[in-house]
Amino acid sequence: MAVSLYDLSVASYLQTLGGVVGFMDKGLAHCTEKGIDPGDIVETRLHPDMLPFRFQIMSVAHHSLGAIEGVKKGVFSPPTGPDYDYKGLQKLVADAREGLQKLTPAEVNALEGRDVTFQLKDFKVPFTAEGFVLSFSLPNFYFHAATAYDILRMKGVKLGKRDYMGQMRMKTT
């Protein structure tokens, strides 16, 4: 069975974004229940030299829908944006999911073989669409999703592995 660029990217992004939506909902419920300001979580870091929860969630959105948009444009750069609050981050993830759900397999598969460059100021790394998704976008996407999950766990949110994984693509009979 051949695996398409759509299957590797959009289907994988959507699965994990579903998990992110769920664990962020649980995080907000935890804050409400415990009287914690969600802004405290937005600023939380696992380590002083790591970026905060806000950046982790921004990166999840950026390395999913933003990655496909970058492939279409031929250029992908690090995420930028406002200082989102917790609910703003939830909306960012919901918007990324919605944008990805609108993409068709034919539209994404038509991007196969395209050139895309990761660019940070004068630093440039050339990729094909497939190389970018498999060796740059997906690893970053999973790293930032796991880091956001870990921050919520560290803050006492009751989460398990299933909360992270999202809806698996199981065999249907």
Side-chain angles (χ1 to χ4, degrees), residues 108-123:
V108 175
N109 293 338
L111 301 172
E112 289 178 15
R114 275 210 177 162
D115 289 338
V116 60
T117 301
F118 170 75
Q119 186 169 345
L120 176 62
K121 298 180 184 175
D122 293 334
F123 179 72

Side-chain angles (χ1 to χ4, degrees), residues 54 58 80-85 89 92:
R54 173 190 307 112
M58 287 172 58
T80 59
D83 288 340
Y84 293 99
D85 63 8
L89 291 169
L92 187 66

Side-chain angles (χ1 to χ4, degrees), residues 26 35 37 39 48 51 53 74 84 93 96 109 122 124 128 138 145 147 154-155 157-158 171:
K26 285 187 174 185
D37 178 359
L51 290 166
F53 183 83
Y84 293 99
V93 172
N109 293 338
D122 293 334
K124 296 178 182 182
T128 62
L138 279 170
T147 301
M154 182 182 76
K155 295 300 265 183
V157 179
K158 302 250 186 272
K171 178 181 176 181

Side-chain angles (χ1 to χ4, degrees), residues 5-17:
L5 183 59
Y6 180 90
D7 296 330
L8 293 170
S9 61
V10 175
S12 296
Y13 296 141
L14 286 172
Q15 177 182 339
T16 299
L17 284 172

Side-chain angles (χ1 to χ4, degrees), residues 70-106:
V71 171
K72 286 180 180 181
K73 293 177 197 169
V75 176
F76 182 86
S77 296
T80 59
D83 288 340
Y84 293 99
D85 63 8
Y86 198 95
K87 288 190 178 197
L89 291 169
Q90 287 181 297
K91 181 171 177 3
L92 187 66
V93 172
D95 290 348
R97 277 183 81 194
E98 184 179 312
L100 287 164
Q101 288 167 337
K102 291 178 181 176
L103 296 171
T104 65

